[in-house]
Amino acid sequence: MEALRQDDPRRFGRFTALARFHEGASAVRYVARDAATGEVVLVTAARPQLAAVPVFSRRFRAEARTAERLAGGWVSPPVDLGEEPEAPAGGPEPLWTAAAYVPALPLAEAVAIAGPLPERALRILGAGIAEILSRVHASGSVLQGLAPGTVLLAADGPRLTAFGPLGAAASAEVGPGGQLSVRLGYLTPEQIEGKEVSAASDLFVLGLLLAYAATGTTPFTEGPAEEAARRIAEDEPELDAVPDPLRELIASCLAKDPAERPAAGTVAAELALEGAAGLARGGWLPERLAAAVTDQEARVLALEPPEDDTEPEAGSTEAAEAGAGAAEAEAAESGPEETPEPEDARPEDPRTDGARPEDPRAVPEPQDARTASEPEDARPLPVPPADASQTNASPAGTPPADASPVNAPASQAPTAAPASASAPSSDGDIGEDRGTTRFLNTGPRPPQSDRPTTQLALPHELTAPPGAALVPAAHPMPPALPAAPGTPQQPQQPQPHQQPSHTQGGPAPYPAAALPAGPAGPGGPGGGPMVSLPLPPAPAPAPGPGASRRTLLTIAAAAVGGLVVGGGSVAALGSGDTAAATDDKPAPKPRRTLPGQAPEPRWVYAHPASESSPLTTAVWRDKLLVVTSESQASAVDLRTGKRLWQRADGAKGQAALAAGDDLVFVASPTEFLWLSPKNGKVVHRVRYTEAFTDLPGLTVGRLAGSSGPVIWFTGSHTVTVKAPKPKKGKKKEKDKEVVQAHFFAYDIVQRKELWRTAVPAGRSPGTPAYRVVAERSADVLVRQDAASLTAAEVKAAKGKGSVRSFDQKTGKLLWTKKYGAASLEAATTGDEDGALYAAVGKDLQAFEADTTKPLWRVEGSDGSWFGTPLIAGPLIHTTERSRLVGAVERESGRLVWRRSTEVPGIGNAPSLTLSSSEKTLIAADAIQVTVFSAADGERLWKFQDIGSADPKGATVSAPYRALAFGETVVVQRDRSFYAFPVA
């Protein structure tokens, strides 16, 4: 953090700038305050030179909208998007956004202060960033916003401040025709090869970031700087200094082949299974960093607006003109040979010993904040001496006519760009090439790549294109900010001239071979190796219905079981349009623009934190979502997502059912309840002690199944069996307490028992847990959960499960059968045509239910097993623990399709749900919800819910659930509910 400069804007809308927080290649971040409310924010203001470019302006606002959609968790919510109705007279439209200020240090600054982070801090840092990436990737997007300067370390966990290449850029420039090129500080092997980036690219950069945080340097530093790209693409990373427990995971992130890198959810789960927020409880920063964060907060609170009569507005020309005038005056006084320039903006001269003249304007820093010497490939590359023709033939700032690299092979020389990339359109749009980051709302790539921007052979010298508007990356250091009140002043020691840091702070996070090294430093004009990544334009978004500051911010989900769920947050990344939640009607179904992107939820409902977590959820008549908990039953309007009523009588109730057209049936631990769907009022009540008078003390187990008005359930009660009369001379035995169990059928419309059948009691307390696996015209097929079997039953079963058949009309037990080698825990289901489908080992097998004759077998994955299949017309949808979901023909078992959900293979097999039309298949597990086309297995979209990162909150371990009705699927994870449109 540093004092404001003379040419810095003093106001951003309602906010007054107080200090510079961080300077990037494309924007500067300021600490600012709302004078009316005292609210402190971080304002990100685009550089005026870039803000005037239409392509940059659209992309800047697109990244701002991405930040808004990701708000919550480890992303500070935006408080103002800086959208003004018109540009100030004589200047470009101001471009800025404001986010809530959280006291935090950039990662690069933290490493400079305290050195490499300890293992626990590395785990929290990596898990927090991986959780954000998991949310982004679940929408089918790529972030490309990671760098040591875009990741902040706050007291409660990490924060991310960049949401695309503009925010993470090492330099940015505008070429002829408005073509925008962004140079990233971190590159990946696929980018060096000119291939398209993907979610795996973010994981490679995450590996680089963690290696940097763990060691203080990058893992590809050994060797000549000019070979940096080759090392990235070919060499193995140097990870000896990384803590042993993390070395293998970071190495997997740095795999050359993107297919071999783990998913973001896997990384998050391996680093912190309980979630980054859970692991960070009680503090996570080393003592020196925690003190630095506290000190920063005190300094910010003590800041006052500069006493300056001139207060240029953001986007005005006065600031730029003032700065330019001062620079010209200084240049006139000192002469061209004495014009100071940032130290790291000059190429190293191999003929010198590295000594630097002192710059009186440099601000000394505390001794413990000085960084270690830079690695060799973190410095600008040596530039070969230029001959007279190169140095004198062109005026200053004008490149020579021959802009081809010096000593570069012919194959590496820039060639003419395709027309789509070089011919500017009327609005400044440009084409896109293979080296370009893919964004939402971008058109298809042209078939031919732009060789000058995808060529990564790192020529020794590459001059800027004629007319390029380049943004300097460094400025003379301003006076240091005053210390916080009460902070003892440290005596300042004379120090050599301090090099301005990399544009992201601290040592260069990536070998400088990937950055320009010209007279103006990164991003400045002049020769030097660079890799240019042109940024595609984003079309201006159409105004969405109801779009406002009340834009829907839903809770988004980590790819780890056990993340804290709290207040409002964000859904998966969407397009520029965002549906707004309303209290009276659902939002219109948005148009999906990107495969893999989750649609905007129609509504989002958060179960109150003051109440206990939901126990069961059920859809009633496509009108209500009925939720039961330890304290009550409540109903949510499926049309609006608004809670309608709650009723304490329904506490601990089982999943609600429809009792006719006008009543909601709930089975509580002591009674059956019929509730009004309008207000939850109890219309009928049947206590078990009254309905089953001949079974005193009846305990009702969970419902085994239902069909229309009929429910099936088990129950048990204890009876006293008197001891027989003893024989003469024998002592009388004690009476015995015996548990008796029954299987019931009950009509919830007529409110009467249909039949009951005595069955063996289960494991203590005695009620067996049954599940109806098939309903046929003459009987119902039932399996007992293995956990409720007695020890004697388990021993007699010899590892094989069984199915019982009960007569539909009388409840009489017809038969008990075993099917092949299906185990006691095997997932089983059946159909009305007499077939039974069961998991046998790693395979799924079909049998004739009445004869146990095998019909067909589908092979599964090694080391995995099948979950409960789902029958849908002529198909059976399958699910495996290995996260494979598929479909087979019901008649023959022929495989129709099989796809992976692409999440870590932990936990049980995903549970399956079909949409009402049976066109969409929803797979839900502990990690995410994955949606497929039921006919061909096309993966449509993914969704994960992270929630807010409250260090004091409870962790979430509940899996996802899906409930379908009409053209909607309600996705639940613990307290959070999302209504997504589906086919």
PDB file of all heavy atoms in Angstrom, residues 47 124 134 137 167 249 285 324 344 350 485 511 536 543 558 561 571 582 611 629 639 766 771 774 861 884 922:
ATOM      1  N   ARG A  47      -6.679   1.314 -16.361  1.00  0.00           N
ATOM      2  CA  ARG A  47      -5.804   2.380 -16.834  1.00  0.00           C
ATOM      3  C   ARG A  47      -6.518   3.136 -17.960  1.00  0.00           C
ATOM      4  O   ARG A  47      -7.124   2.520 -18.848  1.00  0.00           O
ATOM      5  CB  ARG A  47      -4.489   1.793 -17.338  1.00  0.00           C
ATOM      6  CG  ARG A  47      -3.677   1.110 -16.241  1.00  0.00           C
ATOM      7  CD  ARG A  47      -2.325   0.701 -16.766  1.00  0.00           C
ATOM      8  NE  ARG A  47      -1.539   0.020 -15.749  1.00  0.00           N
ATOM      9  CZ  ARG A  47      -0.786   0.644 -14.837  1.00  0.00           C
ATOM     10  NH1 ARG A  47      -0.745   1.964 -14.841  1.00  0.00           N
ATOM     11  NH2 ARG A  47      -0.103  -0.034 -13.955  1.00  0.00           N
ATOM     12  N   ILE A 124      -4.652 -24.550   3.385  1.00  0.00           N
ATOM     13  CA  ILE A 124      -5.807 -23.648   3.399  1.00  0.00           C
ATOM     14  C   ILE A 124      -5.801 -22.773   2.156  1.00  0.00           C
ATOM     15  O   ILE A 124      -6.851 -22.568   1.523  1.00  0.00           O
ATOM     16  CB  ILE A 124      -5.779 -22.800   4.683  1.00  0.00           C
ATOM     17  CG1 ILE A 124      -5.964 -23.716   5.911  1.00  0.00           C
ATOM     18  CG2 ILE A 124      -6.843 -21.717   4.648  1.00  0.00           C
ATOM     19  CD1 ILE A 124      -5.663 -23.050   7.228  1.00  0.00           C
ATOM     20  N   SER A 134     -13.287 -24.837  -8.613  1.00  0.00           N
ATOM     21  CA  SER A 134     -14.291 -25.883  -8.779  1.00  0.00           C
ATOM     22  C   SER A 134     -15.628 -25.287  -9.180  1.00  0.00           C
ATOM     23  O   SER A 134     -16.341 -25.823 -10.026  1.00  0.00           O
ATOM     24  CB  SER A 134     -14.418 -26.683  -7.479  1.00  0.00           C
ATOM     25  OG  SER A 134     -15.323 -27.742  -7.638  1.00  0.00           O
ATOM     26  N   HIS A 137     -15.194 -24.140 -12.874  1.00  0.00           N
ATOM     27  CA  HIS A 137     -15.124 -25.249 -13.823  1.00  0.00           C
ATOM     28  C   HIS A 137     -16.451 -25.981 -13.926  1.00  0.00           C
ATOM     29  O   HIS A 137     -16.761 -26.564 -14.971  1.00  0.00           O
ATOM     30  CB  HIS A 137     -14.025 -26.219 -13.395  1.00  0.00           C
ATOM     31  CG  HIS A 137     -12.652 -25.606 -13.422  1.00  0.00           C
ATOM     32  ND1 HIS A 137     -11.554 -26.220 -12.854  1.00  0.00           N
ATOM     33  CD2 HIS A 137     -12.204 -24.436 -13.947  1.00  0.00           C
ATOM     34  CE1 HIS A 137     -10.494 -25.448 -13.031  1.00  0.00           C
ATOM     35  NE2 HIS A 137     -10.864 -24.356 -13.688  1.00  0.00           N
ATOM     36  N   GLY A 167      -7.265  -9.215 -15.133  1.00  0.00           N
ATOM     37  CA  GLY A 167      -6.861  -9.004 -13.749  1.00  0.00           C
ATOM     38  C   GLY A 167      -5.528  -9.627 -13.408  1.00  0.00           C
ATOM     39  O   GLY A 167      -4.813  -9.145 -12.534  1.00  0.00           O
ATOM     40  N   LEU A 249       0.889 -34.056  -4.702  1.00  0.00           N
ATOM     41  CA  LEU A 249      -0.293 -33.367  -5.216  1.00  0.00           C
ATOM     42  C   LEU A 249       0.106 -32.201  -6.125  1.00  0.00           C
ATOM     43  O   LEU A 249      -0.453 -32.024  -7.214  1.00  0.00           O
ATOM     44  CB  LEU A 249      -1.142 -32.856  -4.055  1.00  0.00           C
ATOM     45  CG  LEU A 249      -2.402 -32.070  -4.441  1.00  0.00           C
ATOM     46  CD1 LEU A 249      -3.355 -32.947  -5.237  1.00  0.00           C
ATOM     47  CD2 LEU A 249      -3.096 -31.519  -3.200  1.00  0.00           C
ATOM     48  N   LEU A 285      -2.608 -17.847   9.623  1.00  0.00           N
ATOM     49  CA  LEU A 285      -1.434 -17.133   9.146  1.00  0.00           C
ATOM     50  C   LEU A 285      -0.309 -17.192  10.167  1.00  0.00           C
ATOM     51  O   LEU A 285      -0.556 -17.131  11.382  1.00  0.00           O
ATOM     52  CB  LEU A 285      -1.784 -15.673   8.865  1.00  0.00           C
ATOM     53  CG  LEU A 285      -2.735 -15.398   7.704  1.00  0.00           C
ATOM     54  CD1 LEU A 285      -3.046 -13.902   7.628  1.00  0.00           C
ATOM     55  CD2 LEU A 285      -2.140 -15.882   6.383  1.00  0.00           C
ATOM     56  N   ALA A 324       1.176  13.628 -17.510  1.00  0.00           N
ATOM     57  CA  ALA A 324       2.000  13.739 -18.703  1.00  0.00           C
ATOM     58  C   ALA A 324       2.817  15.007 -18.668  1.00  0.00           C
ATOM     59  O   ALA A 324       3.994  15.038 -19.040  1.00  0.00           O
ATOM     60  CB  ALA A 324       1.113  13.707 -19.949  1.00  0.00           C
ATOM     61  N   ASP A 344      13.742  -2.682 -12.992  1.00  0.00           N
ATOM     62  CA  ASP A 344      13.527  -3.961 -13.656  1.00  0.00           C
ATOM     63  C   ASP A 344      12.993  -3.784 -15.059  1.00  0.00           C
ATOM     64  O   ASP A 344      12.671  -4.733 -15.733  1.00  0.00           O
ATOM     65  CB  ASP A 344      12.581  -4.864 -12.852  1.00  0.00           C
ATOM     66  CG  ASP A 344      11.206  -4.269 -12.769  1.00  0.00           C
ATOM     67  OD1 ASP A 344      11.037  -3.103 -13.194  1.00  0.00           O
ATOM     68  OD2 ASP A 344      10.320  -4.959 -12.265  1.00  0.00           O
ATOM     69  N   PRO A 350      25.316  -7.527 -19.526  1.00  0.00           N
ATOM     70  CA  PRO A 350      26.278  -8.529 -19.081  1.00  0.00           C
ATOM     71  C   PRO A 350      27.658  -7.938 -18.838  1.00  0.00           C
ATOM     72  O   PRO A 350      28.497  -8.568 -18.216  1.00  0.00           O
ATOM     73  CB  PRO A 350      26.278  -9.534 -20.238  1.00  0.00           C
ATOM     74  CG  PRO A 350      25.773  -8.769 -21.412  1.00  0.00           C
ATOM     75  CD  PRO A 350      24.837  -7.752 -20.879  1.00  0.00           C
ATOM     76  N   PRO A 485      -1.492   4.740  13.860  1.00  0.00           N
ATOM     77  CA  PRO A 485      -1.345   5.412  15.147  1.00  0.00           C
ATOM     78  C   PRO A 485      -0.857   4.446  16.210  1.00  0.00           C
ATOM     79  O   PRO A 485      -1.359   3.337  16.340  1.00  0.00           O
ATOM     80  CB  PRO A 485      -2.774   5.908  15.445  1.00  0.00           C
ATOM     81  CG  PRO A 485      -3.438   5.986  14.124  1.00  0.00           C
ATOM     82  CD  PRO A 485      -2.824   4.905  13.300  1.00  0.00           C
ATOM     83  N   PRO A 511       8.988 -17.300 -15.089  1.00  0.00           N
ATOM     84  CA  PRO A 511      10.209 -16.842 -15.732  1.00  0.00           C
ATOM     85  C   PRO A 511       9.942 -15.667 -16.660  1.00  0.00           C
ATOM     86  O   PRO A 511       8.989 -15.657 -17.421  1.00  0.00           O
ATOM     87  CB  PRO A 511      10.657 -18.073 -16.523  1.00  0.00           C
ATOM     88  CG  PRO A 511      10.093 -19.212 -15.765  1.00  0.00           C
ATOM     89  CD  PRO A 511       8.783 -18.731 -15.217  1.00  0.00           C
ATOM     90  N   PRO A 536      -9.987 -12.157 -26.880  1.00  0.00           N
ATOM     91  CA  PRO A 536     -11.151 -11.957 -27.746  1.00  0.00           C
ATOM     92  C   PRO A 536     -12.118 -10.979 -27.136  1.00  0.00           C
ATOM     93  O   PRO A 536     -12.194 -10.857 -25.926  1.00  0.00           O
ATOM     94  CB  PRO A 536     -11.768 -13.355 -27.825  1.00  0.00           C
ATOM     95  CG  PRO A 536     -11.388 -13.982 -26.535  1.00  0.00           C
ATOM     96  CD  PRO A 536     -10.027 -13.441 -26.200  1.00  0.00           C
ATOM     97  N   PRO A 543     -29.532  -6.470 -21.825  1.00  0.00           N
ATOM     98  CA  PRO A 543     -30.023  -6.271 -20.464  1.00  0.00           C
ATOM     99  C   PRO A 543     -30.976  -7.379 -20.073  1.00  0.00           C
ATOM    100  O   PRO A 543     -31.925  -7.678 -20.787  1.00  0.00           O
ATOM    101  CB  PRO A 543     -30.734  -4.908 -20.540  1.00  0.00           C
ATOM    102  CG  PRO A 543     -31.054  -4.728 -21.986  1.00  0.00           C
ATOM    103  CD  PRO A 543     -29.979  -5.428 -22.750  1.00  0.00           C
ATOM    104  N   ALA A 558     -18.525 -26.290  -3.068  1.00  0.00           N
ATOM    105  CA  ALA A 558     -17.185 -26.805  -3.250  1.00  0.00           C
ATOM    106  C   ALA A 558     -17.203 -28.253  -3.607  1.00  0.00           C
ATOM    107  O   ALA A 558     -18.120 -28.950  -3.297  1.00  0.00           O
ATOM    108  CB  ALA A 558     -16.415 -26.675  -1.963  1.00  0.00           C
ATOM    109  N   GLY A 561     -16.674 -32.604   0.393  1.00  0.00           N
ATOM    110  CA  GLY A 561     -17.692 -32.768   1.393  1.00  0.00           C
ATOM    111  C   GLY A 561     -17.230 -32.050   2.622  1.00  0.00           C
ATOM    112  O   GLY A 561     -16.176 -32.302   3.117  1.00  0.00           O
ATOM    113  N   ALA A 571     -24.151 -18.627  -7.762  1.00  0.00           N
ATOM    114  CA  ALA A 571     -24.341 -19.839  -8.531  1.00  0.00           C
ATOM    115  C   ALA A 571     -23.211 -19.965  -9.519  1.00  0.00           C
ATOM    116  O   ALA A 571     -22.338 -19.120  -9.605  1.00  0.00           O
ATOM    117  CB  ALA A 571     -25.681 -19.799  -9.256  1.00  0.00           C
ATOM    118  N   THR A 582     -37.517 -13.116  -7.487  1.00  0.00           N
ATOM    119  CA  THR A 582     -38.659 -12.309  -7.086  1.00  0.00           C
ATOM    120  C   THR A 582     -39.487 -13.104  -6.106  1.00  0.00           C
ATOM    121  O   THR A 582     -39.362 -14.316  -5.984  1.00  0.00           O
ATOM    122  CB  THR A 582     -39.528 -11.928  -8.294  1.00  0.00           C
ATOM    123  OG1 THR A 582     -40.058 -13.124  -8.881  1.00  0.00           O
ATOM    124  CG2 THR A 582     -38.734 -11.176  -9.343  1.00  0.00           C
ATOM    125  N   GLU A 611     -32.900 -22.657  12.595  1.00  0.00           N
ATOM    126  CA  GLU A 611     -33.602 -23.926  12.734  1.00  0.00           C
ATOM    127  C   GLU A 611     -32.652 -25.078  12.465  1.00  0.00           C
ATOM    128  O   GLU A 611     -31.608 -24.905  11.840  1.00  0.00           O
ATOM    129  CB  GLU A 611     -34.785 -23.979  11.761  1.00  0.00           C
ATOM    130  CG  GLU A 611     -35.785 -22.853  11.964  1.00  0.00           C
ATOM    131  CD  GLU A 611     -36.889 -22.880  10.916  1.00  0.00           C
ATOM    132  OE1 GLU A 611     -36.985 -23.882  10.185  1.00  0.00           O
ATOM    133  OE2 GLU A 611     -37.639 -21.893  10.828  1.00  0.00           O
ATOM    134  N   SER A 629     -37.752 -31.248   9.770  1.00  0.00           N
ATOM    135  CA  SER A 629     -36.529 -31.143  10.561  1.00  0.00           C
ATOM    136  C   SER A 629     -36.813 -31.611  11.973  1.00  0.00           C
ATOM    137  O   SER A 629     -37.920 -32.059  12.280  1.00  0.00           O
ATOM    138  CB  SER A 629     -36.024 -29.696  10.568  1.00  0.00           C
ATOM    139  OG  SER A 629     -36.931 -28.858  11.275  1.00  0.00           O
ATOM    140  N   ARG A 639     -43.255 -22.471  -6.933  1.00  0.00           N
ATOM    141  CA  ARG A 639     -43.306 -21.495  -8.010  1.00  0.00           C
ATOM    142  C   ARG A 639     -42.375 -20.311  -7.750  1.00  0.00           C
ATOM    143  O   ARG A 639     -41.770 -19.769  -8.666  1.00  0.00           O
ATOM    144  CB  ARG A 639     -44.743 -21.001  -8.183  1.00  0.00           C
ATOM    145  CG  ARG A 639     -44.990 -20.140  -9.405  1.00  0.00           C
ATOM    146  CD  ARG A 639     -46.473 -19.923  -9.600  1.00  0.00           C
ATOM    147  NE  ARG A 639     -47.077 -19.351  -8.400  1.00  0.00           N
ATOM    148  CZ  ARG A 639     -47.243 -18.038  -8.211  1.00  0.00           C
ATOM    149  NH1 ARG A 639     -46.854 -17.193  -9.150  1.00  0.00           N
ATOM    150  NH2 ARG A 639     -47.801 -17.589  -7.116  1.00  0.00           N
ATOM    151  N   GLY A 766     -35.217 -53.272  17.319  1.00  0.00           N
ATOM    152  CA  GLY A 766     -36.117 -54.332  16.908  1.00  0.00           C
ATOM    153  C   GLY A 766     -36.930 -54.101  15.660  1.00  0.00           C
ATOM    154  O   GLY A 766     -37.511 -55.040  15.122  1.00  0.00           O
ATOM    155  N   ARG A 771     -37.314 -51.931   2.374  1.00  0.00           N
ATOM    156  CA  ARG A 771     -37.421 -51.047   1.214  1.00  0.00           C
ATOM    157  C   ARG A 771     -38.099 -51.803   0.084  1.00  0.00           C
ATOM    158  O   ARG A 771     -37.671 -52.897  -0.283  1.00  0.00           O
ATOM    159  CB  ARG A 771     -36.041 -50.559   0.765  1.00  0.00           C
ATOM    160  CG  ARG A 771     -36.098 -49.563  -0.401  1.00  0.00           C
ATOM    161  CD  ARG A 771     -34.727 -48.989  -0.699  1.00  0.00           C
ATOM    162  NE  ARG A 771     -33.815 -50.009  -1.208  1.00  0.00           N
ATOM    163  CZ  ARG A 771     -33.717 -50.340  -2.500  1.00  0.00           C
ATOM    164  NH1 ARG A 771     -34.494 -49.761  -3.401  1.00  0.00           N
ATOM    165  NH2 ARG A 771     -32.850 -51.262  -2.886  1.00  0.00           N
ATOM    166  N   ALA A 774     -39.826 -53.335  -5.853  1.00  0.00           N
ATOM    167  CA  ALA A 774     -40.683 -53.461  -7.039  1.00  0.00           C
ATOM    168  C   ALA A 774     -42.111 -53.665  -6.588  1.00  0.00           C
ATOM    169  O   ALA A 774     -42.380 -54.351  -5.596  1.00  0.00           O
ATOM    170  CB  ALA A 774     -40.244 -54.619  -7.921  1.00  0.00           C
ATOM    171  N   SER A 861     -16.657 -51.261 -13.553  1.00  0.00           N
ATOM    172  CA  SER A 861     -15.259 -50.863 -13.451  1.00  0.00           C
ATOM    173  C   SER A 861     -14.572 -51.648 -12.346  1.00  0.00           C
ATOM    174  O   SER A 861     -15.179 -51.969 -11.320  1.00  0.00           O
ATOM    175  CB  SER A 861     -15.157 -49.361 -13.154  1.00  0.00           C
ATOM    176  OG  SER A 861     -15.896 -48.613 -14.083  1.00  0.00           O
ATOM    177  N   LEU A 884     -19.212 -43.340 -12.886  1.00  0.00           N
ATOM    178  CA  LEU A 884     -19.707 -43.556 -14.239  1.00  0.00           C
ATOM    179  C   LEU A 884     -21.223 -43.681 -14.182  1.00  0.00           C
ATOM    180  O   LEU A 884     -21.779 -44.408 -13.350  1.00  0.00           O
ATOM    181  CB  LEU A 884     -19.102 -44.825 -14.851  1.00  0.00           C
ATOM    182  CG  LEU A 884     -17.612 -44.773 -15.175  1.00  0.00           C
ATOM    183  CD1 LEU A 884     -17.133 -46.117 -15.689  1.00  0.00           C
ATOM    184  CD2 LEU A 884     -17.319 -43.685 -16.208  1.00  0.00           C
ATOM    185  N   ILE A 922     -30.370 -36.696 -13.841  1.00  0.00           N
ATOM    186  CA  ILE A 922     -29.601 -35.919 -12.866  1.00  0.00           C
ATOM    187  C   ILE A 922     -28.875 -36.882 -11.939  1.00  0.00           C
ATOM    188  O   ILE A 922     -29.508 -37.746 -11.316  1.00  0.00           O
ATOM    189  CB  ILE A 922     -30.519 -34.982 -12.054  1.00  0.00           C
ATOM    190  CG1 ILE A 922     -31.282 -34.036 -12.993  1.00  0.00           C
ATOM    191  CG2 ILE A 922     -29.722 -34.191 -11.043  1.00  0.00           C
ATOM    192  CD1 ILE A 922     -32.694 -34.464 -13.286  1.00  0.00           C
TER     193      ILE A 922
END
